[in-house]
Amino acid sequence: FEKLTDEILHDDLELKLFAAVRLIRLVAPQMKERRWGRIINVLNIGAKAARPNSMPTSLSRAAGMAMTKALSHEFAPHNVLVNAMLVGIIRADQHVQRAKRNNVPLDDYYKAHDKEIQIGRVGEAEEFANLACFLASEQGGYITGTATNVDGGRSPVV
């Protein structure tokens, strides 16, 4: 925290919060007019359970979760449902890049994280996408204002 500059915090909020705000502003009027819509805010588990040295991302993700809940109240009367998905460790390019930066073979990088995950393995993109598809469907039509962990049990909170 003591090394966190206003510029770093601003850039993170711009990327992770205000990008979502701007996109929602673009699509919400049409969704409300059609009386149907689904907004899924992709965050990470730090939104609920910040880890040490996780600034600024834990702050921006928690703000995104608060926005998700507030918008769910505003948009529900228009049948526009707003939820968040909180990602744990999913096989993705960001981890490939991090492993490269740390000079660690990718398999070793993922294996090191396996110990932190109750299921004992990192997730696959399809597993994350399955929940997104459900929330975006008619079958998810009674779910709004939630923040669901998709993390193999890694988060210490529900």
Side-chain angles (χ1 to χ4, degrees):
F1 176 78
E2 292 170 341
K3 294 177 184 176
L4 180 65
T5 66
D6 288 357
E7 182 180 31
I8 291 169
L9 180 57
H10 178 271
D11 290 349
D12 196 73
L13 288 167
E14 187 67 33
L15 176 68
K16 297 175 184 158
L17 179 65
F18 285 103
V21 167
R22 291 184 188 105
L23 180 59
I24 292 166
R25 281 184 183 147
L26 286 173
V27 299
Q30 294 89 344
M31 290 179 172
K32 287 168 64 177
E33 185 179 309
R34 280 193 312 267
R35 299 201 46 76
W36 198 97
R38 303 291 190 264
I39 296 169
I40 301 169
N41 198 2
V42 176
L43 306 171
N44 72 29
I45 59 176
K48 288 183 186 178
R51 292 174 171 244
N53 303 310
S54 65
M55 295 287 272
T57 196
S58 289
L59 179 65
S60 59
R61 301 307 189 165
M65 191 167 68
M67 178 181 70
T68 296
K69 189 64 172 181
L71 290 178
S72 74
H73 292 292
E74 286 187 40
F75 294 167
H78 306 281
N79 194 36
V80 176
L81 309 182
V82 185
N83 292 289
M85 292 174 54
L86 280 60
V87 67
I89 300 177
I90 302 287
R91 290 183 188 275
D93 188 61
Q94 69 180 3
H95 298 297
V96 172
Q97 298 308 316
R98 193 169 293 147
K100 280 182 187 175
R101 276 195 309 273
N102 294 327
N103 244 355
V104 175
L106 186 58
D107 285 343
D108 292 347
Y109 173 88
Y110 284 132
K111 283 178 187 169
H113 287 290
D114 288 349
K115 294 176 259 176
E116 304 169 12
I117 304 166
Q118 281 63 33
I119 287 181
R121 63 174 179 81
V122 299
E124 301 294 334
E126 293 81 10
E127 293 171 307
F128 193 79
N130 289 338
L131 179 59
C133 289
F134 176 74
L135 290 172
S137 73
E138 286 294 336
Q139 287 74 26
Y142 196 63
I143 302 168
T144 194
T146 65
T148 305
N149 298 347
V150 186
D151 68 345
R154 184 173 187 229
S155 175
V157 298
V158 225

